[in-house]
mmCIF file of all heavy atoms in Angstrom:
data_model
loop_
_atom_site.group_PDB
_atom_site.id
_atom_site.type_symbol
_atom_site.label_atom_id
_atom_site.label_comp_id
_atom_site.label_asym_id
_atom_site.label_seq_id
_atom_site.Cartn_x
_atom_site.Cartn_y
_atom_site.Cartn_z
ATOM 1 N N ASN X 1028 -5.627 -15.694 17.803
ATOM 2 C CA ASN X 1028 -6.937 -16.059 17.251
ATOM 3 C C ASN X 1028 -7.293 -15.241 16.012
ATOM 4 O O ASN X 1028 -7.794 -15.767 15.027
ATOM 5 C CB ASN X 1028 -8.027 -15.886 18.317
ATOM 6 C CG ASN X 1028 -8.020 -17.032 19.324
ATOM 7 O OD1 ASN X 1028 -7.224 -17.954 19.197
ATOM 8 N ND2 ASN X 1028 -8.885 -16.980 20.305
ATOM 9 N N ALA X 1029 -7.015 -13.940 16.075
ATOM 10 C CA ALA X 1029 -7.302 -13.076 14.918
ATOM 11 C C ALA X 1029 -6.401 -13.446 13.749
ATOM 12 O O ALA X 1029 -6.833 -13.488 12.593
ATOM 13 C CB ALA X 1029 -7.112 -11.612 15.292
ATOM 14 N N GLU X 1030 -5.145 -13.737 14.048
ATOM 15 C CA GLU X 1030 -4.179 -14.088 13.002
ATOM 16 C C GLU X 1030 -4.596 -15.375 12.283
ATOM 17 O O GLU X 1030 -4.576 -15.449 11.045
ATOM 18 C CB GLU X 1030 -2.796 -14.275 13.645
ATOM 19 C CG GLU X 1030 -1.661 -14.428 12.668
ATOM 20 C CD GLU X 1030 -0.314 -14.541 13.360
ATOM 21 O OE1 GLU X 1030 -0.173 -14.063 14.496
ATOM 22 O OE2 GLU X 1030 0.590 -15.137 12.761
ATOM 23 N N LEU X 1031 -5.019 -16.381 13.044
ATOM 24 C CA LEU X 1031 -5.413 -17.654 12.450
ATOM 25 C C LEU X 1031 -6.780 -17.565 11.773
ATOM 26 O O LEU X 1031 -7.050 -18.287 10.814
ATOM 27 C CB LEU X 1031 -5.434 -18.749 13.521
ATOM 28 C CG LEU X 1031 -4.073 -19.093 14.146
ATOM 29 C CD1 LEU X 1031 -4.232 -20.156 15.221
ATOM 30 C CD2 LEU X 1031 -3.092 -19.578 13.094
ATOM 31 N N SER X 1032 -7.622 -16.666 12.257
ATOM 32 C CA SER X 1032 -8.943 -16.498 11.645
ATOM 33 C C SER X 1032 -8.849 -15.893 10.250
ATOM 34 O O SER X 1032 -9.732 -16.104 9.416
ATOM 35 C CB SER X 1032 -9.829 -15.599 12.525
ATOM 36 O OG SER X 1032 -10.079 -16.209 13.775
ATOM 37 N N ALA X 1033 -7.784 -15.150 10.004
ATOM 38 C CA ALA X 1033 -7.647 -14.439 8.725
ATOM 39 C C ALA X 1033 -6.882 -15.219 7.679
ATOM 40 O O ALA X 1033 -6.896 -14.868 6.500
ATOM 41 C CB ALA X 1033 -6.952 -13.100 8.958
ATOM 42 N N ARG X 1034 -6.228 -16.297 8.074
ATOM 43 C CA ARG X 1034 -5.273 -16.940 7.153
ATOM 44 C C ARG X 1034 -5.942 -17.584 5.943
ATOM 45 O O ARG X 1034 -5.285 -17.839 4.940
ATOM 46 C CB ARG X 1034 -4.418 -17.965 7.900
ATOM 47 C CG ARG X 1034 -5.173 -19.163 8.421
ATOM 48 C CD ARG X 1034 -4.257 -20.136 9.133
ATOM 49 N NE ARG X 1034 -5.025 -21.176 9.814
ATOM 50 C CZ ARG X 1034 -4.478 -22.184 10.463
ATOM 51 N NH1 ARG X 1034 -3.169 -22.282 10.533
ATOM 52 N NH2 ARG X 1034 -5.222 -23.087 11.062
ATOM 53 N N ASN X 1035 -7.249 -17.888 6.043
ATOM 54 C CA ASN X 1035 -7.926 -18.560 4.935
ATOM 55 C C ASN X 1035 -8.663 -17.599 4.009
ATOM 56 O O ASN X 1035 -9.330 -18.036 3.081
ATOM 57 C CB ASN X 1035 -8.927 -19.586 5.491
ATOM 58 C CG ASN X 1035 -8.532 -21.004 5.107
ATOM 59 O OD1 ASN X 1035 -7.473 -21.222 4.527
ATOM 60 N ND2 ASN X 1035 -9.368 -21.961 5.427
ATOM 61 N N ILE X 1036 -8.565 -16.315 4.271
ATOM 62 C CA ILE X 1036 -9.287 -15.327 3.461
ATOM 63 C C ILE X 1036 -8.380 -14.833 2.343
ATOM 64 O O ILE X 1036 -7.263 -14.363 2.592
ATOM 65 C CB ILE X 1036 -9.767 -14.143 4.331
ATOM 66 C CG1 ILE X 1036 -10.636 -14.644 5.472
ATOM 67 C CG2 ILE X 1036 -10.537 -13.137 3.481
ATOM 68 C CD1 ILE X 1036 -11.063 -13.570 6.452
ATOM 69 N N ALA X 1037 -8.871 -14.948 1.119
ATOM 70 C CA ALA X 1037 -8.090 -14.489 -0.028
ATOM 71 C C ALA X 1037 -7.928 -12.973 0.028
ATOM 72 O O ALA X 1037 -8.815 -12.257 0.489
ATOM 73 C CB ALA X 1037 -8.792 -14.894 -1.322
ATOM 74 N N ASP X 1038 -6.786 -12.487 -0.414
ATOM 75 C CA ASP X 1038 -6.507 -11.042 -0.480
ATOM 76 C C ASP X 1038 -6.441 -10.379 0.889
ATOM 77 O O ASP X 1038 -6.639 -9.171 1.010
ATOM 78 C CB ASP X 1038 -7.533 -10.311 -1.356
ATOM 79 C CG ASP X 1038 -7.410 -10.691 -2.817
ATOM 80 O OD1 ASP X 1038 -6.287 -11.029 -3.236
ATOM 81 O OD2 ASP X 1038 -8.419 -10.658 -3.534
ATOM 82 N N VAL X 1039 -6.204 -11.158 1.926
ATOM 83 C CA VAL X 1039 -5.998 -10.586 3.265
ATOM 84 C C VAL X 1039 -4.727 -11.186 3.843
ATOM 85 O O VAL X 1039 -4.527 -12.392 3.787
ATOM 86 C CB VAL X 1039 -7.191 -10.882 4.207
ATOM 87 C CG1 VAL X 1039 -6.851 -10.483 5.643
ATOM 88 C CG2 VAL X 1039 -8.430 -10.135 3.747
ATOM 89 N N LYS X 1040 -3.879 -10.333 4.353
ATOM 90 C CA LYS X 1040 -2.641 -10.806 4.975
ATOM 91 C C LYS X 1040 -2.495 -10.161 6.339
ATOM 92 O O LYS X 1040 -2.771 -8.967 6.499
ATOM 93 C CB LYS X 1040 -1.430 -10.447 4.106
ATOM 94 C CG LYS X 1040 -0.104 -10.939 4.699
ATOM 95 C CD LYS X 1040 1.063 -10.666 3.783
ATOM 96 C CE LYS X 1040 2.360 -11.182 4.400
ATOM 97 N NZ LYS X 1040 3.517 -10.979 3.509
ATOM 98 N N THR X 1041 -2.106 -10.951 7.320
ATOM 99 C CA THR X 1041 -1.862 -10.391 8.647
ATOM 100 C C THR X 1041 -0.357 -10.207 8.839
ATOM 101 O O THR X 1041 0.446 -10.932 8.259
ATOM 102 C CB THR X 1041 -2.407 -11.308 9.762
ATOM 103 O OG1 THR X 1041 -1.791 -12.595 9.641
ATOM 104 C CG2 THR X 1041 -3.917 -11.440 9.669
ATOM 105 N N ALA X 1042 -0.021 -9.222 9.637
ATOM 106 C CA ALA X 1042 1.389 -8.967 9.931
ATOM 107 C C ALA X 1042 1.496 -8.445 11.352
ATOM 108 O O ALA X 1042 0.546 -7.856 11.890
ATOM 109 C CB ALA X 1042 1.963 -7.949 8.956
#
Side-chain angles (χ1 to χ4, degrees):
N1028 283 358
E1030 189 177 335
L1031 295 178
S1032 296
R1034 66 179 171 177
N1035 245 6
I1036 303 175
D1038 292 331
V1039 171
K1040 181 176 181 178
T1041 58

